[in-house]
Amino acid sequence: MELSLLQAILLGLYYWFAVWYMGYSVLFVFTGPLFTAMICGFVLGDVSTAMKIGATIQPMFLAFTAAGGTAVWDETAATIGGCTITMVSGLPVESAVTIAVPLSLLCAQLHTIRRLIMVYPVQKADQYAKTCNTKGIMFMATWWTIIVKFFLFAIPMIIAIYFGAEAVGNFITQLPEWITNALNATGKLLPALGFAMTINVIGRPQFLPFFLGGFFFAQYSGISGIPLALAGLFIAFMYYLILQASDNQEAAEDTGAQAAVEADKEGKKLLSKKDINKLVLRWNLMAEMSNSFARLQSLSFCAAFIPILKKLYGNDQEEFSAALTRHLMFFNTEGIWGSVVHGIVIAMEEQRALGAPIPIEAITGIKAGLMGPFAGIGDTIDWSTLKPLFTMLVLPLAENGSILAPILYFILLGGVTYTESYIFVNTGYKMGTEAALSILEGGSIQKFISCASVLGLFMMGGLSASMVSVYTTAQIPTGGEPMGIQSDILDAVAPGLLTLAAVLLVYKYLRSGHSMMKATFWLLGIGLVLGAVGIIGDGGFLIKPIMDLSAAA
């Protein structure tokens, strides 16, 4: 198929839209391979094939690795490039992963430039805060970032896709068979990195047997998707019962909730429920739009708070300006669980506006002290556990080419995380500083994280059994029929041993302190070399001729 200029423009515009990063709850939906593949399918006219390509690319990006806003890869660019080149050139679906990885690492450098450029709007917002120019702050937090990203992301993608996709595809189709095998074998090996990274993030070493259990359960039973998740939930529940039985500590009194009741009896309110919920929406929309190396989420935090600060201090320009300025200070947290901080800050600002002796240092201190702990909890629960779990639930649909995969993923991830954000902001506001204690105290969070890790690792094991494929067609010559190393030896011991070994070796490499970047290059190198000679995959320039001669004899 030929790629038209209109198709290239539409794909470039989607890339631009995705990197707006508008909507924290659905950010990873719009930028992720499944939703991006669906858009590519609509634009290129073959949704089913695009969804299958998205399903092969997705395992590479299962793990949440953007803590602190660091962009180590660009999965949107990887999927657009992988889908377009594969479909335009008529390449096998598995080839998309090998195309996607270098594109992902290359385009990640654009995000480094982005975060450097975004230093300017924060500095400009400082000037606007002095004169209470809230329209200027909002422009810098939203429209300025959107316009700049058009030139930084959309235009390069349009040019690259239109002029480069067909050329790259034609080059790949002319490659000899042994190179094609090397690319296909590498594409089937690379998802091991995504699974290994996710295991490293969500699971402590003592939980690794649950990964092994999920892997062999899927290998022997052949089940995946919802049935696998139900089995994982049963095991996680059993683990929870064991934790409960071994926990002899008395439950702590819910002092936070009691404090909330007392506060409601005593205090006057300047803010309404509508004001609080408006902040939830504004923060969710803008949290990552203007993230910069200078002060990370500070501009988004201030922009989200503008209506509340205006209502509290609008009649006192000096106080209003001071409030805007202090909320342009450095801030960075996970945007869902970290929004407890927003609720606490609302309560403190409201009490200060009512005349309570709350010093500015107390407000900034609360932000600085709580953003880290809640970021750790949010990253672990939402993005390192729930996100991969939801992804795994819909991957079987994507593998079958179904458009339901990204739609269900959008509903599940967006619905759960936005609901959480609503609850946490309102909880923080009602309880004030007691909210932090009520959430962080006791062992309930740790129990939840442990049980989620059990479920996550079991699911990771089951899904890696089908999404990672490392095998060999090499044979051992005998006096009669050649003995297949894979079918007659390895599978006779246990199915999928090479696949399991690949995932566990990458996991061990990452646990040793090596970076994801090094692991990626090692896997690329090993996959290409072993695939080229034919040790893995369907035969290369060394193994395949020997097999052909043996068969002829």
Side-chain angles (χ1 to χ4, degrees), residues 56 82 128 148 199 262 312 356 363 371 391 403-404 432 455 493-494 546:
T56 65
Y128 289 141
V148 168
I199 298 167
E262 295 300 323
L312 295 177
I363 298 174
M371 62 185 184
T391 303
I403 196 176
L404 285 176
L455 174 59
V493 177
I546 295 175

Side-chain angles (χ1 to χ4, degrees), residues 430-468:
K430 291 176 181 177
M431 296 185 179
T433 53
E434 291 289 337
L437 297 176
S438 67
I439 292 176
L440 294 174
E441 281 180 350
S444 56
I445 284 294
Q446 289 306 317
K447 286 180 184 177
F448 180 84
I449 291 175
S450 294
C451 292
S453 296
V454 169
L455 174 59
L457 286 176
F458 185 85
M459 289 290 292
M460 284 294 160
L463 197 64
S464 64
S466 61
M467 298 300 297
V468 184

Side-chain angles (χ1 to χ4, degrees), residues 45-255:
D46 188 349
V47 176
S48 179
T49 300
M51 289 309 309
K52 293 175 183 177
I53 292 172
T56 65
I57 295 174
Q58 177 66 76
M60 271 296 300
F61 305 106
L62 272 176
F64 172 73
T65 58
T70 304
V72 294
W73 50 36
D74 187 331
E75 50 193 297
T76 317
T79 308
I80 291 174
C83 279
T84 305
I85 294 172
T86 302
M87 294 173 70
V88 166
S89 308
L91 296 168
V93 168
E94 295 81 6
S95 302
V97 179
T98 312
I99 297 167
V101 171
L103 281 174
S104 172
L105 297 173
L106 177 64
C107 291
Q109 309 315 309
L110 293 176
H111 294 274
T112 301
I113 299 172
R114 164 183 65 86
R115 296 181 73 204
L116 285 170
I117 294 174
M118 292 305 159
V119 172
Y120 171 77
V122 183
Q123 295 174 338
K124 193 68 177 176
D126 286 335
Q127 300 176 19
Y128 289 141
K130 294 176 182 177
T131 58
C132 300
N133 184 351
T134 56
K135 289 183 178 179
I137 295 174
M138 281 299 301
F139 178 81
M140 287 294 151
T142 54
W143 289 110
W144 193 92
T145 71
I146 290 173
I147 293 168
V148 168
K149 288 174 184 177
F150 176 79
F151 295 99
L152 183 60
F153 293 97
I155 291 179
M157 178 59 77
I158 292 169
I159 294 172
I161 287 293
Y162 184 64
F163 291 104
E166 189 171 350
V168 172
N170 289 336
F171 172 75
I172 292 176
T173 56
Q174 302 302 316
L175 294 174
E177 185 179 350
W178 62 271
I179 294 182
T180 302
N181 179 69
L183 294 174
N184 290 338
T186 305
K188 294 175 181 178
L189 172 64
L190 281 171
L193 177 61
F195 286 102
M197 289 182 65
T198 309
I199 298 167
N200 192 35
V201 171
I202 72 171
R204 296 189 291 275
Q206 62 264 37
F207 292 145
L208 201 57
F210 292 102
F211 171 82
L212 299 175
F215 181 87
F216 287 114
F217 182 76
Q219 283 283 3
Y220 283 107
S221 68
I223 69 170
S224 61
I226 299 298
L228 185 67
L230 292 174
L233 282 170
F234 174 76
I235 291 173
F237 178 69
M238 295 298 293
Y239 185 79
Y240 173 77
L241 293 179
I242 293 172
L243 288 179
Q244 284 289 86
S246 63
D247 186 6
N248 296 321
Q249 297 180 353
E250 294 183 1
E253 183 182 356
D254 191 359
T255 55

Side-chain angles (χ1 to χ4, degrees), residues 336-337 339 382 386 415-425:
I336 305 300
W337 284 73
S339 61
D382 282 347
L386 291 183
V416 168
T417 54
Y418 189 83
T419 301
E420 286 178 340
S421 186
Y422 170 86
I423 292 171
F424 292 143
V425 171

